[in-house]
Amino acid sequence: MILHPGESNASYTRQSPATHFHPMATKNLNLSQLTGEKTYTEIVFSQVWGKVEAYKASHQQQKIFMMAFGDTTQPLPPTVVEAMVDAANCLADPKTYTGYEDITGNSALRQAICDNYYHKKMGVELESSEVFISDGAQSASVNIQDLFALDNTVAVQDPAYPAFVEGTVLAGRPLVNLPCEEENNFIPKLPSEKVDLIYLCFPNNPTGAVATYEQLQGFVDYARSQNAVIIFDAVYSAFISVPNVPRSIYEIEGAKECAIEIGSFSKMANFTGLRVGWCVIPEQLTIKNTMPGELNNLWRIRHAVKFWGTANVAQYGAIAALSPVGQQECQKIVNYYLKNADLLREGLEKAGLHCFGATDSPFVWVKAPQGLSSWQFFEKLLASTGIVGVPGCVFGSSGEGFLRLSTLGQQEEIKAAVEHLGALKHPMA
Ligand code: PLP
């Protein structure tokens, strides 16, 4: 059936194209703003990778220690593998075969996130209907903007995980930077102007900073007073090792009224390739023109329109990761990466460099010595040790003068890199 302008096959009203007539298809100008090596991925793959390739070509004996990528390297927990093999075998049998899942995610997984993650680990009470399974935190953290009007102003930490900024540009929403400076331990001040959405990420990528209860309470109080919503990225919560640091925004009083939380199995269980994450939209969350439960319901509708759930086999793996044995196995993996972070930070400090992070995240945020810029330090570290990081300025202008090193690699590699640092004839700072 061909629908003509004004005709509709549903009970909602379609906009007539006549008033927005274009002689041909036109490109999305927001999306095309991101071309020309402006995105993080393009910069890393062309500029960082390009410089490494050029260096390798002229220094063929030099060992390269790739610490630019935040990808995991360790195998999946055995319990997870077993559960996924079982799930795959069920799919092979007509008696146990299942197709589409509940579009908000496997109900046992949503319940396990409430019980074994939020309740057991931090005493936070949530209903499984408040948890939505996603195909990772990357898509969830950007897509969540679909809940809000296009003129909403978005505040983002600077430096930030790039998806928050690029997703905002793609949607065409106004953007405000919240500088994260060394003198404030990389915790931003409250916005000085009215903003509507605030991305917060703790433990932070790239700086590795964590926020205290008081600091997060300040943001929650701000959001409640301004009718703003916090989008809290807690992807690295499993890495928190210092005491008295909140792992979830819902540990903060009043947060259920003003915050959405994004979680992921990627870094806590090596699921980067499996793609399972989640997003919490509490019933109590309200904004200016909504009733309690309305945003939760809107997100369910959005799931039905643009997403139909993540892979069922991977979701069974995620359930296993949250079992008591799975949790022990996951903790071992996290401890392995934290040990890497500890080894690397110690080595860098012995070489005279000033480092941040590494205690509660798999990132070392290294200050460029002698007033070098991020890119100058990148080149110097590469030339003298073979270590490759990401220049801090790629994460935002306040990241200038820093370099991020990921410690999600193999421990032997980290140890070998540290030996190279130790072998430096002259301290770098
Ligand atoms: N959020 C932050 C802060 C991250 O560092 C990452 C991945 O590096 C993601 C989200 C994306 O995670 P996922 O693999 O779940 O999409």
Side-chain angles (χ1 to χ4, degrees):
M1 182 181 82
I2 297 172
L3 285 168
H4 296 287
E7 287 183 354
S8 169
N9 61 351
S11 52
Y12 53 86
T13 315
R14 287 165 189 246
Q15 278 201 345
S16 162
T19 51
H20 308 288
F21 181 75
H22 292 294
M24 59 189 78
T26 52
K27 69 181 175 188
N28 180 341
L29 293 175
N30 293 338
L31 182 55
S32 56
Q33 264 199 72
L34 293 170
T35 56
E37 287 185 20
K38 292 206 194 78
T39 60
Y40 174 80
T41 314
E42 296 266 311
I43 293 172
V44 169
F45 280 99
S46 65
Q47 295 181 34
V48 170
W49 200 244
K51 283 180 194 289
V52 172
E53 286 297 308
Y55 180 77
K56 269 165 56 180
S58 54
H59 299 80
Q60 288 174 7
Q61 303 307 317
Q62 171 76 63
K63 171 121 178 69
I64 298 294
F65 301 101
M66 183 47 75
M67 299 186 194
F69 303 117
D71 200 0
T72 48
T73 55
Q74 296 307 294
L76 287 168
T79 309
V80 167
V81 176
E82 224 173 274
M84 289 198 300
V85 169
D86 288 349
N89 281 328
C90 286
L91 296 182
D93 185 337
K95 291 197 279 306
T96 48
Y97 174 82
T98 51
Y100 292 126
E101 291 275 351
D102 178 332
I103 57 167
T104 61
N106 180 302
S107 58
L109 176 55
R110 288 185 287 125
Q111 194 61 52
I113 289 171
C114 293
D115 297 343
N116 300 354
Y117 180 78
Y118 283 108
H119 179 71
K120 241 189 219 152
K121 284 185 190 290
M122 44 208 124
V124 167
E125 301 290 346
L126 288 170
E127 295 295 327
S128 63
S129 58
E130 296 173 303
V131 177
F132 294 81
I133 305 303
S134 70
D135 59 352
Q138 167 89 11
S139 45
S141 64
V142 172
N143 290 336
I144 201 69
Q145 290 196 19
D146 280 359
L147 275 179
F148 305 99
L150 279 172
D151 61 359
N152 280 197
T153 299
V154 182
V156 179
Q157 283 166 273
D158 172 16
Y161 181 61
F164 307 154
V165 174
E166 292 163 11
T168 303
V169 172
L170 177 54
R173 293 191 171 85
L175 187 69
V176 167
N177 277 326
L178 303 178
C180 299
E181 316 274 4
E182 183 182 341
E183 46 275 24
N184 295 331
N185 291 322
F186 305 101
I187 306 296
K189 293 189 184 132
L190 294 175
S192 54
E193 55 203 294
K194 165 93 178 81
V195 299
D196 304 301
L197 306 177
I198 309 166
Y199 278 98
L200 291 180
C201 173
F202 294 111
N204 187 262
N205 177 8
T207 65
V210 285
T212 62
Y213 285 93
E214 293 71 31
Q215 285 161 338
L216 287 187
Q217 189 70 62
F219 275 95
V220 166
D221 293 345
Y222 170 90
R224 287 170 78 191
S225 69
Q226 301 293 317
N227 250 306
V229 173
I230 295 169
I231 301 166
F232 191 78
D233 181 323
V235 162
Y236 296 101
S237 68
F239 288 77
I240 293 176
S241 63
V242 299
N244 274 325
V245 169
R247 285 167 166 39
S248 163
I249 192 74
Y250 303 122
E251 291 182 72
I252 310 301
E253 202 191 322
K256 284 188 183 171
E257 291 162 32
C258 66
I260 289 170
E261 183 158 295
I262 311 278
S264 173
F265 289 84
S266 279
K267 307 296 162 81
M268 72 175 188
N270 286 337
F271 268 51
T272 50
L274 283 171
R275 316 303 305 138
V276 188
W278 72 87
C279 163
V280 179
I281 316 234
E283 286 286 315
Q284 285 152 265
L285 177 72
T286 51
I287 46 177
K288 200 172 158 198
N289 49 357
T290 66
M291 307 280 288
E294 192 175 338
L295 288 170
N296 179 292
N297 189 46
L298 286 173
W299 191 239
R300 187 186 319 278
I301 291 168
R302 195 261 176 217
H303 260 236
V305 175
K306 285 196 177 178
F307 183 60
W308 207 263
T310 195
N312 50 7
V313 171
Q315 293 192 66
Y316 281 104
I319 295 170
L322 288 174
S323 68
V325 180
Q327 284 292 279
Q328 279 174 15
E329 292 172 356
C330 287
Q331 196 55 51
K332 255 193 196 164
I333 294 167
V334 166
N335 291 346
Y336 176 93
Y337 294 134
L338 281 172
K339 175 78 185 164
N340 284 354
D342 195 40
L343 290 169
L344 184 62
R345 179 173 174 157
E346 199 180 283
L348 290 160
E349 284 178 343
K350 270 195 187 142
L353 291 161
H354 195 180
C355 300
F356 301 89
T359 51
D360 307 293
S361 80
F363 301 111
V364 191
W365 187 239
V366 195
K367 187 165 182 167
Q370 298 139 4
L372 296 181
S373 72
S374 292
W375 278 109
Q376 285 168 335
F377 181 39
F378 165 90
E379 305 227 4
K380 181 164 179 170
L381 196 65
L382 172 61
S384 50
T385 67
I387 295 176
V388 180
V390 177
C393 57
V394 178
F395 298 96
S397 55
S398 298
E400 182 52 86
F402 290 88
L403 186 87
R404 189 200 73 174
L405 297 175
S406 162
T407 64
L408 291 163
Q410 306 284 352
Q411 208 150 92
E412 298 71 49
E413 286 278 296
I414 300 275
K415 284 181 179 162
V418 166
E419 272 175 32
H420 272 65
L421 279 167
L424 280 176
K425 283 208 185 76
H426 304 290
M428 292 199 61

